[in-house]
């Protein structure tokens, strides 16, 4: 087997520094990268191998992503060193190289081809993984240059970040470009939510247990909430974010994936294609948005300043009159036997009171209530909460008799937390999991071309509507709040409110009353 080389385009960027390098380092410390691997960073910044190593070494240290390496695996480090973390990071950084070229220009690719020959010691290296962590505008350009340079050999794989496309048409065009350069089995469209253990656990929870699946349909479920909110703003990503917005950044990929995991049918076998076929079926069953839905079932918002927090329009690289959404809530439906008539309320937002990603399944109420309810939190109906982050776990809410005379009931919770699992499991980092899957040639948790198009097909009318109606409502919400009040109206049709997890969650204090 020839030497493994991972080439990262966008090597000096934020994603590489904050996510990819810590993930690769954690794979390294776990002995899960191929023997003798190299990582070649590509970017326009003028690093040399040495300065790039220093930069990444500092980044790893400052992110304190430096899990103590298992000396057994740190093959080329001195395992006796007391400063094993530092030594591990140093040893890891010795595998890093850097080539300063402009990935948009074809000229640099001859240099890249030479550098790969040099690093691999082979004339035609093909154990290569290209990772596109660049601005999306380069996603269509880089594969064509790779092809011109003859770097699209059979063993090569390519990981492309999201958003894959800007709308349906551009996604189709990108798929066409990729198909002209690579075979589909070489293309890995990454959505890091699928790399999260807890996202994968939705499948295990549903399909490895007999008790919930019979209830998992329109007969027993009233509605489902899917929430992925964050308490940070757009940070230093203004340039990217303003042309993207919450719909393209979070909903078209991450949130709709979570809907698919919650709603899909069990595949007959757990293979990449069987699983991905079921995901596509969900996307193809999404109830098309009507003209009326575009107004009444979609609420978009943008954060306003509040206290010390800036408004979106005051952030760096954001025009003062930007109408980009930083919040979106939608009601969507799935037209199939299992889900007909069951709304999925989804929402995502920046500058919310807390960071939380969870799915709340609201079961139907009992047909008749014969007990009195005690306290503010009456057991209207059972709820199942699949918590992806933080405090990963599963909560089941149910009614229980209040001890004492009479027959009052109140709502209580049964609570499983992932950290009770114990055991010596490998790191749960989503990027690490997905990069490792790609190295091993397993595309299960990556998005197939038909899925990406089916998802855009559903959201396209909304994007077009906003484009054609720039004055369509965009509601302000003060930073640090739960978003525009208009989103409450949508869910109120179920006589319900959005589940608001408490602000400062701790393991023992989940779902505190607000
Ligand atoms: C990324 C988005 O894909 O996901 C970011 O581009 C967002 O805007 C991030 O902050 C959230 O991911 P996580 O894993 O931190 O919930």
């Amino acid at each position: 087997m020839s030497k493994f080389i991972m080439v990262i385009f966008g090597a000096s960027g934020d994603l590489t520094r904050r996510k990819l390098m810590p993930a690769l380092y954690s794979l390294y410390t776990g002995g899960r990268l191929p023997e003798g691997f190299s990582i070649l960073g590509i970017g326009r910044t003028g690093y040399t191998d040495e300065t790039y190593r220093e930069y990444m070494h500092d980044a790893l240290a400052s992110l304190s992503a430096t899990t103590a390496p298992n000396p057994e695996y740190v093959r080329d480090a001195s395992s006796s060193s007391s400063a094993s973390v530092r030594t591990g990071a140093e040893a890891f950084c010795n595998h890093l190289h850097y080539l300063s070229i402009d990935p948009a220009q074809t000229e640099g690719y001859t240099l890249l081809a030479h550098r790969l020959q040099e690093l691999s010691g082979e004339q035609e290296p093909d154990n290569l993984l290209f990772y596109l962590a660049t601005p999306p505008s380069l996603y269509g350009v880089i594969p064509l240059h790779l092809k011109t340079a003859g770097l699209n050999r059979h063993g090569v794989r390519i990981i492309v970040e999201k958003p894959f496309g800007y709308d349906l048409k551009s996604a189709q065009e990108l798929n066409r470009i990729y198909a002209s350069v690579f075979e589909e089995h070489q293309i890995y469209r990454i959505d890091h939510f699928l790399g999260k253990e807890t996202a994968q656990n939705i499948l295990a929870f549903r399909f490895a247990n007999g008790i919930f699946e019979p209830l998992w349909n329109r007969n027993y479920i009233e509605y489902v909430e899917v929430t992925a909110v964050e308490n940070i703003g757009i940070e230093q990503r203004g340039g990217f974010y303003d042309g993207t917005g919450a719909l393209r950044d979070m909903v078209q990929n991450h949130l709709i994936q979570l809907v698919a995991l919650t709603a899909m049918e069990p595949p007959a076998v757990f293979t990449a294609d069987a699983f991905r076929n079921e995901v596509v079926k969900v996307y193809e069953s999404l109830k098309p948005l009507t003209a009326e839905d575009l107004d009444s079932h979609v609420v978009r918002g943008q954060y306003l300043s509040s206290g010390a927090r800036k408004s979106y329009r005051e952030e760096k690289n954001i025009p003062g009159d930007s109408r980009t959404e930083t919040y979106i809530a939608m009601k969507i439906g799935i037209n199939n036997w299992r889900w007909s008539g069951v709304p999925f309320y989804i929402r995502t937002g920046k500058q919310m009171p807390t960071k939380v990603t969870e799915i709340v399944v609201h079961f139907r109420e009992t047909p008749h209530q014969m007990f009195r309810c005690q306290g503010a939190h009456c057991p209207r109906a059972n709820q199942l909460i699949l918590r992806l982050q933080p405090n990963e776990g599963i909560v089941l809410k149910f009614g229980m008799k209040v001890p004492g005379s009479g027959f009052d009931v109140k709502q209580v919770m049964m609570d499983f937390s992932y950290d009770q699992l114990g055991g010596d499991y490998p790191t749960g980092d989503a990027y690490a999991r997905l990069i490792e899957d790609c190295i091993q040639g397993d595309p299960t948790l990556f998005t197939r071309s038909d899925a990406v198009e089916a998802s855009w097909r559903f959201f396209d009318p909304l994007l077009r509507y906003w484009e054609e109606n720039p004055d369509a409502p965009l509601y302000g919400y003060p930073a640090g709040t739960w978003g525009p009040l208009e989103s409450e109206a949508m869910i109120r049709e179920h006589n319900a409110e959005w589940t608001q997890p408490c602000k400062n969650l701790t393991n023992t204090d989940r779902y505190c009353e607000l």
Side-chain angles (χ1 to χ4, degrees):
M1 184 65 146
S2 58
K3 198 175 150 185
F4 173 72
I5 306 175
M6 176 162 170
V7 181
I8 303 178
F9 289 92
S12 52
D14 202 47
L15 179 68
T16 304
R17 191 177 54 83
R18 283 194 315 114
K19 299 286 188 186
L20 303 186
M21 283 301 170
L24 286 162
Y25 180 57
S26 81
L27 289 176
Y28 172 72
T29 57
R32 287 149 61 200
L33 286 178
E35 187 93 43
F37 72 95
S38 295
I39 297 170
L40 175 61
I42 306 285
R44 284 187 306 176
T45 314
Y47 290 112
T48 60
D49 284 3
E50 284 66 36
T51 55
Y52 189 61
R53 284 173 190 167
E54 279 163 24
Y55 166 58
M56 278 307 160
H57 187 271
D58 291 351
L60 286 173
S62 72
L63 284 165
S64 71
T66 46
T67 48
N70 179 344
E72 206 183 303
Y73 293 124
V74 183
R75 305 180 194 99
D76 40 5
S78 149
S79 57
S80 61
S81 165
S82 55
S84 60
V85 170
R86 187 166 45 79
T87 314
E90 269 166 26
F92 168 74
C93 288
N94 284 337
H95 291 261
L96 304 184
H97 306 267
Y98 190 85
L99 177 65
S100 171
I101 60 169
D102 179 355
Q105 305 299 324
T106 191
E107 298 77 45
Y109 288 75
T110 318
L111 291 176
L112 171 59
H114 283 143
R115 194 70 196 272
L116 290 171
Q117 286 173 346
E118 219 173 81
L119 287 173
S120 66
E122 290 165 40
Q123 204 46 36
E124 296 204 335
D126 80 341
N127 192 8
L128 306 176
L129 166 57
F130 295 112
Y131 197 117
L132 270 53
T134 62
S137 55
L138 290 176
Y139 293 173
V141 179
I142 293 172
L144 293 174
H145 290 326
L146 290 173
K147 184 179 179 182
T148 310
L151 289 170
N152 56 335
R153 303 188 185 105
H154 190 70
V156 168
R157 294 184 186 131
I158 184 162
I159 299 183
V160 197
E161 266 297 331
K162 52 137 276 268
F164 191 87
Y166 190 74
D167 54 13
L168 176 60
K169 196 160 158 258
S170 57
Q172 285 170 328
E173 175 60 11
L174 270 186
N175 273 336
R176 199 190 54 71
I177 293 174
Y178 278 73
S180 73
V181 178
F182 298 105
E183 306 275 337
E184 179 65 23
H185 69 85
Q186 296 175 281
I187 308 165
Y188 289 72
R189 296 170 195 80
I190 196 167
D191 175 335
H192 80 278
F193 267 44
L194 266 189
K196 293 179 191 278
E197 280 295 334
T198 39
Q200 296 155 31
N201 193 46
I202 299 170
L203 297 178
F205 180 82
R206 289 189 51 202
F207 303 139
N209 295 295
I211 58 169
F212 287 105
E213 199 52 27
L215 309 178
W216 212 259
N217 57 56
R218 68 182 189 289
N219 297 323
Y220 299 95
I221 294 178
E222 182 75 31
Y223 65 98
V224 179
E225 279 176 82
V226 178
T227 294
V229 295
E230 298 172 275
N231 51 359
I232 52 168
I234 52 160
E235 302 194 295
Q236 302 309 314
R237 301 162 75 216
F240 159 78
Y241 197 90
D242 201 56
T244 305
L247 186 104
R248 293 183 175 94
D249 187 42
M250 293 291 290
V251 180
Q252 182 271 338
N253 29 70
H254 301 327
L255 265 80
I256 210 68
Q257 282 280 8
L258 296 182
V259 169
L261 295 177
T262 310
M264 68 191 280
E265 296 301 317
V269 284
F270 199 68
T271 60
D273 267 335
F275 167 69
R276 299 197 295 176
N277 288 343
E278 295 304 334
V279 170
V280 173
K281 280 188 212 160
V282 175
Y283 294 166
E284 287 176 342
S285 312
L286 291 170
K287 187 165 165 246
L289 296 165
T290 62
E292 199 199 331
D293 295 339
L294 299 174
D295 267 332
S296 57
H297 291 157
V298 179
V299 175
R300 60 174 178 159
Q302 190 187 79
Y303 58 84
L304 307 171
S305 65
S306 170
R309 303 199 214 195
K310 285 184 191 164
S311 71
Y312 175 71
R313 292 178 180 179
E314 289 163 341
E315 301 273 16
K316 199 170 154 213
N317 294 327
I318 303 299
D321 59 352
S322 169
R323 290 187 63 79
T324 297
E325 79 286 356
T326 59
Y327 173 94
I328 181 162
M330 289 180 74
K331 174 186 172 187
I332 61 182
I334 301 175
N335 275 341
N336 63 21
W337 274 56
R338 190 190 280 265
W339 295 112
S340 179
V342 180
F344 280 67
Y345 294 100
I346 64 176
R347 64 175 166 165
T348 183
K350 300 273 187 202
Q351 289 289 19
M352 305 264 110
T354 189
K355 177 173 172 83
V356 66
T357 305
E358 68 181 16
I359 296 161
V360 185
V361 178
H362 296 259
F363 290 93
R364 287 192 189 282
E365 290 186 29
T366 47
H368 171 62
Q369 308 241 0
M370 55 185 178
F371 303 120
R372 270 187 320 191
C373 157
Q374 198 185 79
H377 288 255
C378 294
R380 286 180 59 230
N382 297 106
Q383 286 169 29
L384 179 75
I385 301 167
L386 304 169
R387 165 66 71 77
L388 276 80
Q389 61 186 12
N391 303 332
E392 296 81 354
I394 294 171
V395 176
L396 180 64
K397 292 191 182 183
F398 56 98
M400 212 195 74
K401 181 179 175 297
V402 178
S405 60
F407 240 98
D408 289 358
V409 291
K410 67 179 283 191
Q411 195 163 61
V412 294
M413 295 173 218
M414 203 183 263
D415 192 338
F416 163 75
S417 171
Y418 247 74
D419 53 24
Q420 293 159 7
L421 211 55
D424 185 17
Y425 296 107
T427 165
D429 177 78
Y431 277 94
R433 163 71 198 255
L434 293 173
I435 292 171
E436 189 176 22
D437 279 4
C438 177
I439 293 172
Q440 290 173 357
D442 181 355
T444 310
L445 299 175
F446 292 83
T447 311
R448 215 168 51 188
S449 60
D450 51 349
V452 93
E453 289 186 19
S455 166
W456 279 119
R457 193 165 290 115
F458 173 71
F459 290 108
D460 228 37
L462 181 56
L463 291 169
R464 273 207 312 274
Y465 174 70
W466 286 347
E467 229 172 75
E468 289 161 13
N469 299 279
D471 294 331
L474 169 73
Y475 301 101
Y477 61 96
T481 66
W482 284 104
L485 294 176
E486 284 71 11
S487 67
E488 301 293 332
M490 228 173 45
I491 199 164
R492 217 170 285 140
E493 68 186 34
H494 267 89
N495 195 21
E497 291 171 348
W498 292 99
T499 302
Q500 315 292 39
C502 45
K503 195 164 176 174
N504 299 307
L505 290 161
T506 68
N507 277 341
T508 51
D509 184 28
R510 59 177 55 209
Y511 294 95
C512 50
E513 295 179 12
L514 289 173

